[in-house]
Amino acid sequence: MAGYEEVLGQDSIKEFFRNSIRTGNVPHACILSGEDGMGKRKLAETFARALLCEKGGEEACGECHSCKQTASGSHPDLIFVTHEKPASIGVDDVREQIQDSIVIRPYNGTYKVYIVDEAEKMTVQAQNALLKTIEEPPSYGVILLLTTNLDAFLPTILSRCVQLKCKPVSDAAGKAYLMEHFQVSEARAEVYTAFARGNVGKMVDMATSEEFQNMYDRMVRLLKRIKEMDISELLACIKELKDDSVDIYDCLDFMQLWYRDILMYKVTRDINLMVFKNEHNAINEICEKSGYDGLELILQAIDKARVRLNANVNQDLALELMLLTMKEN
Ligand SMILES: [Zn+2]
């Protein structure tokens, strides 16, 4: 049966969950925070399955009746809190699915587990309703709140929950994982891990998404040639990106990595430190043509473009200014 090994990294959270079962010191409320793609849901589900397993081990046995029920999504003591409105979890959702239900004892075992995904969407009223339950939980109640944003919670909620934070995995671990499980070349794996900043879900998305591969190829083509391109070509390029609805922020991140590589190579001359190792020749060439000041200007221009896009300034203009800076420096 699938367990913690499905999530790369996050060892301290796994150990906390295992240990809580081993010692019988299971918290009534936890907040599991981290970006989407870091494994929050899988960690919470694995913990829930272990809590409900009839064998009582640190991890679910996968054999017992309870384990079969949790695997098929039909265990009555594992409740995934849902919400009608996509944008918020309201007070009625919390009352109906948690407050009114948690007073009923578990059907089978020792625990009744509630998983609230996107818990940052709880309204203040919903959080206050939840607070009442968390303040005096029944002995068997375990509530797992999953969130991308801890700032959305009332301090009173935060102080009553065990806080568990997903951490970025190391580049080395991410690289090895991609190469082993997704047959990604080492050079590409290097780019994906640099890009994903320790978020495994994001790495896997990149390795498996055709969209990202297209963006990658397109960006490399553009960045290699940009100094030779004339204005009309640059404008055509912006239009193309827009027409194909490429994620502009991804493009900016990509360009930033690229120019950081050039700058880093200019300073160190060490290929091993490069993210884009397989573009080494192109990077070396650009490096020869560009000065430190120019590269700094380009990196600033990328930051500026990001700020302008965030501020909803004319997108074409923001990108044009940035590409011109890249062309001329
Ligand atoms: Zn079991």
Side-chain angles (χ1 to χ4, degrees), residues 74-215:
S74 63
H75 200 298
D77 297 323
L78 175 54
I79 295 107
F80 292 92
V81 175
T82 58
H83 48 109
E84 293 264 315
K85 291 186 196 156
S88 69
I89 302 175
V91 65
D92 288 340
D93 297 318
V94 169
R95 280 204 191 115
E96 284 160 22
Q97 297 175 64
I98 303 178
Q99 268 187 324
D100 295 350
S101 131
I102 206 167
V103 292
I104 303 162
R105 294 194 63 82
Y107 285 88
N108 301 337
T110 328
Y111 296 103
K112 195 162 175 175
V113 187
Y114 295 81
I115 296 181
V116 186
D117 203 358
E118 303 182 303
E120 70 279 356
K121 290 185 175 172
M122 281 192 291
T123 62
V124 171
Q125 292 93 321
Q127 291 190 45
N128 276 317
L130 181 69
L131 190 60
K132 287 190 195 126
T133 302
I134 296 181
E135 274 169 349
E136 286 177 54
S139 59
Y140 49 80
V142 177
I143 298 172
L144 304 173
L145 305 173
L146 315 185
T147 187
T148 51
N149 178 18
L150 279 176
D151 294 336
F153 293 90
L154 298 173
T156 42
I157 294 265
L158 292 176
S159 70
R160 294 208 173 253
C161 291
V162 172
Q163 290 188 37
L164 303 166
K165 291 181 185 153
C166 290
K167 297 200 176 71
V169 303
S170 73
D171 284 357
K175 243 173 80 177
Y177 181 76
L178 287 181
M179 288 163 68
E180 191 187 330
H181 295 274
F182 296 91
Q183 286 73 51
V184 174
S185 72
E186 186 171 5
R188 283 274 169 131
E190 184 107 30
V191 177
Y192 300 154
T193 44
F195 215 85
R197 296 196 184 92
N199 182 330
V200 179
K202 215 167 165 188
M203 288 173 205
V204 172
D205 279 351
M206 285 174 202
T208 53
S209 119
E210 209 173 303
E211 231 168 274
F212 191 85
Q213 310 294 328
N214 286 338
M215 195 272 282

Side-chain angles (χ1 to χ4, degrees), residues 222 225-240 316-317 319-329:
L222 166 69
R225 281 202 55 233
I226 195 156
K227 279 183 185 299
E228 287 87 53
M229 287 165 91
D230 59 29
I231 305 281
S232 64
E233 272 182 286
L234 286 183
L235 294 178
C237 187
I238 293 173
K239 186 172 181 306
E240 218 180 279
D316 288 14
L317 183 65
L319 295 176
E320 200 184 318
L321 289 170
M322 178 186 74
L323 293 178
L324 277 177
T325 311
M326 291 175 181
K327 177 179 160 51
E328 285 161 6
N329 286 283

Side-chain angles (χ1 to χ4, degrees), residues 234-303:
L234 286 183
L235 294 178
C237 187
I238 293 173
K239 186 172 181 306
E240 218 180 279
L241 291 177
K242 278 181 66 176
D243 288 350
D244 298 351
S245 48
V246 175
D247 187 323
I248 297 294
Y249 289 97
D250 275 354
C251 294
L252 295 184
D253 285 350
F254 195 95
M255 291 172 173
Q256 196 170 32
L257 278 183
W258 177 267
Y259 282 104
R260 275 198 197 141
D261 246 17
I262 296 172
L263 187 59
M264 192 278 310
Y265 186 67
K266 204 171 174 62
V267 177
T268 65
R269 298 282 158 181
D270 185 351
I271 298 174
N272 290 316
L273 300 174
M274 247 183 211
V275 172
F276 295 96
K277 285 194 182 68
N278 54 349
E279 301 298 343
H280 161 246
N281 286 336
I283 290 203
N284 185 37
E285 216 173 285
I286 301 172
C287 187
E288 296 305 323
K289 292 182 197 157
S290 311
Y292 288 107
D293 293 351
L295 291 169
E296 286 295 347
L297 279 176
I298 290 171
L299 285 166
Q300 283 168 17
I302 297 171
D303 284 338

Side-chain angles (χ1 to χ4, degrees), residues 49 52-55 60-68:
R49 284 201 298 266
L52 297 171
C53 172
E54 288 157 23
K55 299 259 169 75
C61 73
E63 305 289 326
C64 70
H65 182 58
S66 260
C67 282
K68 285 187 177 131

Side-chain angles (χ1 to χ4, degrees), residues 4 13-22 58-59:
Y4 292 121
I13 295 176
K14 294 173 186 173
E15 185 47 33
F16 174 83
F17 283 153
R18 284 199 193 100
N19 189 53
S20 77
I21 293 180
R22 192 161 56 229
E58 291 172 25
E59 287 192 39

